[in-house]
Amino acid sequence: MGIGDLADGLTRGVESLGASVTGVFEPTVRLGVTGLSRAGKTVFITSLIANLLDQGRMPQLLPAATGAIRAAYLQPQPDDTIPRFDYETHLAALTSPEPHWPESTRAVSELRLSLRVQPPGFLAGLSGPKTVHLDIVDYPGEWLLDLALLDKSFAEWSTATLDRIEKREDAQGYLAAVSAADPTAPFDESAAQALAQSYTNYLIRARAAGYSDCTPGRFLLPGDLAGAPVLTFAPLPQPDRPTRKSLWREMERRYEAYKSQVVKPFFRDHFARIDRQVVLVDALGAIHSGPDAVEDMRRAMTEILSSFRPGRNGFLTQLLLGRRVEKILFAATKADHLHHSQHPRLTAIMDAMLRDARDRADFAGAGTAAMSIAAIRATVEETITHEGAPLDCVRGTLLKTGKQAALYPGELPEDPNALLSSARAGADRWLDQDYDIMSFAPAPLKLKPGDGPPHIRLDKAAQFLIGDKL
Ligand code: GDP
């Protein structure tokens, strides 16, 4: 065990002591919200908070339905060094007369919502109301995927990455740059920067094409580290005998610095303290992109799940000291792109992927669930007649043109395996049909007092994640 590891363990120990001391008086639940870029984290948190402050649309959250939640209010968060989740600005974007989507997650942020609860009933009434703090921590899923790097040397990561991207069209520019570079040549900063930039360009295109396997995560969302040497490396083929000052050696050094100075602190300061976790997945977006993106999403879900499995990673095991996240929800977001008649099918796809991820990650421990939700409902349902037959659509305002449009995204299969097995088999495209997607603008809201913004199953998600704590 190195000194760094020891220090990591110590900080964690002191912290859990702090948590248990405050926990005696006022229980705190730390809810992690993650997912890859554009999965819907910002919209989810904004709508969750608005719907916890005004619970009129949360009938499936039991403590809201029974009236146990007496009051809900925002408070200053307990962590002074983490930016506050900008709830007010995000809500204002969604509720303005010309509603627009808020700015997406770029880094970690946090918000504390406190709930005053008094369960109904005579006995519960005797103990008086209690306050439960809900600390919501928003962090990019890209950073979570970096956990896998901790187990891998630079050589292993490079080989695995270069193998995986070999056939991808978007990677050909980077692969050409790599074959032109000489890893044994003396290190040169501008050559390193050009390679790192070319690799980052590939990652950006891969993300846009729907791939999830985009490490290092900070290359996509650098936060305040843009341009720093820890972000200036890229996968290289391993030379037989790299010399001490070669391009290979310096990139290897930077890769290790990235692990110890970027990845580990993130897990120590944020991840290790989470009690409940929701992982948001843009499943419809991946289905639209094709079998490859769905297979990639399945792989990412396995990888994410295995980060929650204590024991898999020596560093994490030590950091968590036996503590673990208690519940994990995988939620397919933006379900308002589908007519409700197809929601069970989307949920079945998420369920099948979760089961598969659990098997592969050899995951046991936390309670898990899969759902399909929409944090904000931007559409209305409509059945139109198409070629003489009824077609279940959704209608909304197109983001690009501001015009109304009806969307029929395609029929998801009844058996999720029809989709997942062709993804696993590496099919180029879906056999039966294509899946369409449209970007809708949020609909103008007229909220009754006591009601939060309209959503789909956000209350069910909240019940799974925090219902038992209230
Ligand atoms: P983040 O990068 O994970 O924070 O993603 P955001 O929360 O910013 O969401 C990305 C985009 O997805 C938004 O700008 C919306 O276009 C879309 N989106 C997110 N949630 C919903 C939803 O519930 N319904 C619909 N129709 N679109 C959504």
Side-chain angles (χ1 to χ4, degrees):
M1 188 193 296
I3 299 235
D5 293 340
L6 200 67
D8 288 339
L10 282 179
T11 334
R12 171 84 201 114
V14 170
E15 201 196 73
S16 42
L17 189 69
S20 63
V21 169
T22 51
V24 173
F25 304 106
E26 294 188 333
T28 301
V29 187
R30 257 180 113 79
L31 171 66
V33 179
T34 197
L36 299 175
S37 260
R38 316 292 297 161
K41 298 178 290 295
T42 311
V43 175
F44 176 88
I45 298 175
T46 307
S47 181
L48 178 66
I49 295 171
N51 277 292
L52 286 174
L53 289 171
D54 288 302
Q55 302 131 28
R57 288 192 212 255
M58 299 292 270
Q60 293 218 53
L61 174 63
L62 288 181
T66 59
I69 302 178
R70 296 297 171 86
Y73 45 97
L74 294 172
Q75 289 221 72
Q77 67 197 47
D79 298 281
D80 293 334
T81 55
I82 307 176
R84 181 175 182 277
F85 179 84
D86 195 358
Y87 168 69
E88 291 76 8
T89 306
H90 297 328
L91 185 71
L94 288 168
T95 53
S96 80
E98 280 174 33
H100 49 280
W101 297 108
E103 287 234 3
S104 294
T105 301
R106 311 292 302 167
V108 178
S109 67
E110 183 182 334
L111 192 75
R112 169 169 281 192
L113 178 78
S114 297
L115 298 148
R116 195 129 182 88
V117 280
Q118 177 151 36
F122 175 68
L123 278 181
L126 289 181
S127 60
K130 65 174 179 179
T131 300
V132 180
H133 302 297
L134 180 65
D135 289 343
I136 303 177
V137 183
D138 174 24
Y139 65 93
E142 283 81 357
W143 297 4
L144 208 51
L145 296 178
D146 278 346
L147 183 68
L149 303 189
L150 295 181
D151 292 332
K152 291 195 182 103
S153 67
F154 180 56
E156 288 164 342
W157 173 72
S158 286
T159 309
T161 304
L162 293 172
D163 280 356
R164 204 173 42 232
I165 68 177
E166 194 185 343
K167 293 210 183 72
R168 291 187 191 167
E169 206 170 295
D170 287 329
Q172 296 312 311
Y174 175 66
L175 293 172
V178 166
S179 33
D182 176 6
T184 60
F187 177 77
D188 171 63
E189 184 66 43
S190 55
Q193 277 182 15
L195 278 171
Q197 190 55 54
S198 166
Y199 182 64
T200 308
N201 293 345
Y202 153 69
L203 287 179
I204 292 168
R205 281 195 298 267
R207 270 300 294 139
Y211 286 102
S212 323
D213 58 351
C214 302
T215 58
R218 292 288 164 119
F219 281 36
L220 290 167
L221 295 169
D224 51 5
L225 290 173
V230 276
L231 299 197
T232 313
F233 64 91
L236 291 178
Q238 185 174 19
D240 283 341
R241 265 190 294 279
T243 49
R244 222 158 51 79
K245 299 227 161 113
S246 61
L247 177 66
W248 165 272
R249 280 281 178 241
E250 177 60 14
M251 286 214 164
E252 181 183 41
R253 192 193 67 73
R254 290 179 178 194
Y255 171 85
E256 292 301 332
Y258 178 77
K259 282 165 40 178
S260 63
Q261 292 169 39
V262 178
V263 182
K264 283 188 174 181
F266 162 69
F267 279 93
R268 186 189 57 218
D269 300 341
H270 305 295
F271 179 81
R273 300 161 58 201
I274 287 168
D275 303 305
R276 305 284 164 102
Q277 177 68 51
V278 52
V279 181
L280 302 174
V281 183
D282 184 5
L284 289 171
I287 293 170
H288 164 73
S289 294
D292 222 14
V294 167
E295 173 60 6
D296 188 66
M297 178 168 83
R298 185 193 61 69
R299 232 182 284 129
M301 276 175 72
T302 308
E303 207 152 304
I304 287 175
L305 204 54
S306 54
S307 19
F308 290 100
R309 200 193 83 187
R312 175 181 168 271
N313 181 293
F315 163 75
L316 256 196
T317 310
Q318 216 211 331
L319 198 61
L320 295 168
L321 295 173
R323 177 194 150 118
R324 67 170 143 208
V325 69
E326 299 152 335
K327 289 185 173 202
I328 306 171
L329 172 66
F330 281 88
T333 52
K334 312 179 196 180
D336 58 327
H337 285 89
L338 274 186
H339 190 273
H340 78 268
S341 53
Q342 289 216 58
H343 287 184
R345 296 184 178 192
L346 180 61
T347 309
I349 291 171
M350 288 303 290
D351 251 328
M353 284 219 225
L354 172 60
R355 238 176 296 134
D356 185 280
R358 286 187 68 107
D359 290 347
R360 282 169 201 256
D362 188 16
F363 183 83
T368 52
M371 287 180 198
S372 43
I373 65 165
I376 293 282
R377 178 175 216 146
T379 63
V380 291
E381 298 193 333
E382 188 176 273
T383 302
I384 59 172
T385 306
H386 177 71
E387 294 177 354
L391 199 60
D392 287 338
C393 300
V394 294
R395 169 179 290 280
T397 308
L398 288 179
L399 200 55
K400 270 210 180 115
T401 60
K403 294 211 170 90
Q404 286 273 314
L407 166 69
Y408 176 72
E411 172 129 332
L412 294 174
E414 201 158 343
D415 174 9
N417 287 315
L419 231 133
L420 300 181
S421 52
S422 86
R424 207 170 300 141
D428 291 337
R429 53 189 302 270
W430 303 118
L431 270 188
D432 300 333
Q433 63 176 311
D434 289 325
Y435 293 98
D436 224 347
I437 202 120
M438 286 174 176
S439 292
F440 293 114
L445 296 178
K446 273 195 220 88
L447 300 184
K448 279 195 310 219
D451 274 2
H455 60 81
I456 299 172
R457 282 184 289 278
L458 189 65
D459 48 347
K460 199 171 164 214
Q463 173 61 27
F464 173 79
L465 288 167
I466 55 167
D468 60 322
K469 290 280 190 182
L470 301 178

